[in-house]
Amino acid sequence: MRARQNLIELFSTFLQFESNRFSGWVTDAKLHRSIKACLNHFSEAKVSDDFWAVYWHKQTQKSEKPEVALGHMSAYLQEACYWTVQKMMLRSQQSYDRVPDLFQVAIASVPKILKSCNPDVSGSVKAYASIAFGNIIRDYLKQTKEADFCNNWALLLKTSRKLLTESLQNAGFDTATRERYLLAWTCFESIYLSRKNPRLRQTAAPDSATWQAIAAAYNHMRHQLSSPGGECSQETMERWLIECGNQVRKYLYPAVKSLNAPKPGYEEGELQDELVDNFQESLLTEWIQEEEQAARLEQKKQINTILTEAIAKLDATSQQLLQLYYQKTLTQQQIAQELAIQQYTVSRRLSKTRESLLLTLTRWSQQTLHISVTSDVVKYISTVLEEWLQAHYHRE
């Protein structure tokens, strides 16, 4: 892959694929004009990619029309997403997905990633996004594994009430319809329970007698609904449950719209052409102050110093495990073979080592940043630690 050469390219170009391979960079004209106008107003001392990443990230969160900022951040994270996909493909030998498909699944989540990222704590938007892209792809592969190989009846038997509810809400069904579908699913699951097997991917459709029993159970329980409606036939039950299966599948395996996809109804042009060119001079009055940037960089230095010192205090075995896992990127099984120990021992020692480092970082956050420790904060700090470990051993 050809690396992008300057800030204008970093914040205005998008990956282009040919077949299953990278073929080049495509420039978005509106984003090109936007970042060029910004750079014309500032000296070189203030225009590192890290500076602009933090700025555009903040614009996505507070701007009334964040489309331009979101476009810049999507462009900026193209390489991070691409290399994360490549790494995941190497580790997932059984995946039938192609690189462009997984890339689009991950890059489509940029708005969600930016919403959960806090550069003041994590330090690097790109490093945080790389971790998040990996998690998104893993979840996607896990979901599609079921969605691809299960027929509707097996999928419904594997589905939880919470997942089905979310699927129906996502599809836009009204409350009354959702209640009917959920009751129909409850009757189906309870009567068809003998067929339920978490490993079974293909389950035969209920026979006529079973459908009759499902319909009878539904009609007996329908008075519990806020809008009971009339009695339902077994044909109605089958139609409703097929719709439930289809909506669960769509929810688990959503269609991903590429920014490079053609605009519907047009012979030329792409979806990304619809990005609103709303860059105004008013944006230039809201730049991140130099003090803010300096404080953030100082926090990054402090985190680096604290964690480096904490690792130096670990015993030799723990340090070796971290090097093998993060620097040499060995799996736990490979580490166990190299050190001639059990895999569960490797897993336990790695977990204890990370917990020790997490405790150190959490205490620092409490004392220095005055952050109240909650489960969400600990989860976030854990992500910061993970990205730091990967970056630290990658540099070494």
Side-chain angles (χ1 to χ4, degrees):
M1 173 193 286
R2 179 185 71 81
R4 291 182 284 186
Q5 303 301 311
N6 52 56
L7 289 169
I8 291 179
E9 287 190 356
L10 275 176
F11 288 93
S12 66
T13 59
F14 295 84
L15 272 166
Q16 187 173 46
F17 290 96
E18 184 174 338
S19 184
N20 200 37
R21 300 175 65 85
F22 166 80
S23 64
W25 295 99
V26 178
T27 300
D28 180 280
K30 297 174 183 178
L31 295 179
H32 184 275
R33 291 195 300 271
S34 171
I35 188 63
K36 191 173 181 181
C38 292
L39 294 177
N40 288 338
H41 285 78
F42 289 89
S43 65
E44 291 298 322
K46 296 183 180 179
V47 291
S48 67
D49 64 307
D50 193 44
F51 173 89
W52 286 107
V54 173
Y55 170 72
W56 289 119
H57 171 268
K58 292 194 174 185
Q59 288 300 316
T60 65
Q61 306 306 307
K62 67 181 182 180
S63 174
E64 293 182 359
K65 295 182 178 180
E67 291 87 353
V68 168
L70 185 58
H72 283 305
M73 289 306 297
S74 182
Y76 175 66
L77 295 173
Q78 295 281 299
E79 285 161 320
C81 184
Y82 177 81
W83 290 119
T84 300
V85 169
Q86 290 286 7
K87 184 177 181 180
M88 295 295 295
M89 291 291 285
L90 290 175
R91 291 186 176 183
S92 180
Q93 298 295 334
Q94 296 181 347
S95 173
Y96 296 98
D97 293 272
R98 299 163 65 249
V99 171
D101 298 329
L102 292 183
F103 177 86
Q104 293 298 344
V105 167
I107 206 69
S109 298
V110 166
K112 182 179 179 180
I113 293 172
L114 296 179
K115 187 175 181 180
S116 62
C117 178
N118 181 357
D120 292 332
V121 177
S122 64
S124 169
V125 177
K126 185 179 291 185
Y128 180 90
S130 295
I131 300 291
F133 285 142
N135 292 336
I136 289 165
I137 294 170
R138 275 188 288 272
D139 289 344
Y140 170 82
L141 292 175
K142 181 180 179 181
Q143 292 172 359
T144 56
K145 183 178 181 181
E146 294 299 328
D148 278 341
F149 295 109
C150 289
N151 65 6
N152 267 6
W153 313 118
L155 188 61
L156 284 173
L157 290 176
K158 291 173 180 284
T159 297
S160 66
R161 183 181 184 86
K162 179 176 182 293
L163 176 59
L164 179 56
T165 301
E166 291 175 352
S167 302
L168 295 175
Q169 288 175 337
N170 185 67
F173 289 105
D174 58 46
T175 302
T177 302
R178 292 201 304 270
E179 287 182 351
R180 295 184 187 117
Y181 281 9
L182 285 167
L183 180 57
W185 171 79
T186 300
C187 296
F188 165 78
E189 187 186 43
S190 60
I191 292 174
Y192 221 44
L193 190 62
S194 60
R195 301 287 188 92
K196 191 167 184 177
N197 182 340
R199 295 184 179 180
L200 195 62
R201 290 178 173 172
Q202 299 294 320
T203 298
D207 55 26
S208 179
T210 304
W211 279 123
Q212 189 173 3
I214 293 171
Y218 176 89
N219 290 325
H220 178 71
M221 299 172 65
R222 66 188 174 86
H223 299 290
Q224 302 174 6
L225 303 177
S226 57
S227 301
E231 289 196 354
C232 293
S233 65
Q234 62 187 63
E235 290 78 15
T236 300
M237 288 294 99
E238 183 175 7
R239 187 175 70 254
W240 284 1
L241 287 166
I242 290 174
E243 181 64 27
C244 287
N246 290 338
Q247 294 306 326
V248 170
R249 195 180 304 278
K250 289 178 182 178
Y251 185 67
L252 290 175
Y253 197 177
V256 179
K257 292 184 179 180
S258 167
L259 287 173
N260 300 115
K263 291 191 293 184
Y266 292 86
E267 294 183 1
E268 297 181 356
E270 299 177 346
L271 290 179
Q272 65 178 344
D273 295 336
E274 297 300 316
L275 288 172
V276 179
D277 188 10
N278 66 339
F279 182 81
Q280 302 292 335
E281 287 296 319
S282 60
L283 289 177
L284 296 174
T285 65
E286 300 176 2
W287 297 109
I288 302 167
Q289 298 298 316
E290 291 184 27
E291 293 79 8
E292 237 183 281
Q293 178 75 353
R296 191 177 64 82
L297 292 174
E298 181 60 28
Q299 287 179 5
K300 289 173 64 176
K301 291 179 182 178
Q302 291 180 19
I303 290 174
N304 185 67
T305 300
I306 290 167
L307 291 177
T308 301
E309 292 176 352
I311 289 176
K313 294 177 182 178
L314 295 173
D315 59 82
T317 302
S318 296
Q319 293 187 36
Q320 184 182 20
L321 285 174
L322 290 175
Q323 289 175 341
L324 292 174
Y325 188 77
Y326 288 102
Q327 188 172 20
K328 293 189 177 182
T329 65
L330 299 183
T331 64
Q332 291 185 11
Q333 186 174 4
Q334 290 171 330
I335 294 173
Q337 292 174 352
E338 181 163 327
L339 300 181
I341 58 178
Q342 296 295 327
Q343 183 176 347
Y344 68 81
T345 303
V346 174
S347 177
R348 186 171 64 250
R349 289 297 300 270
L350 276 172
S351 295
K352 288 185 176 180
T353 301
R354 280 192 289 242
E355 287 174 5
S356 173
L357 297 175
L358 178 60
L359 180 60
T360 299
L361 192 55
T362 301
R363 286 175 175 170
W364 174 83
S365 299
Q366 283 181 294
Q367 297 169 2
T368 306
L369 304 179
H370 307 292
I371 295 176
S372 299
V373 177
T374 64
S375 59
D376 289 338
V377 169
V378 172
K379 184 178 179 181
Y380 187 83
I381 295 175
S382 179
T383 301
V384 173
L385 173 63
E386 186 67 18
E387 71 176 41
W388 183 88
L389 286 169
Q390 293 193 16
H392 175 71
Y393 284 99
H394 180 71
R395 287 195 301 267
E396 294 184 353

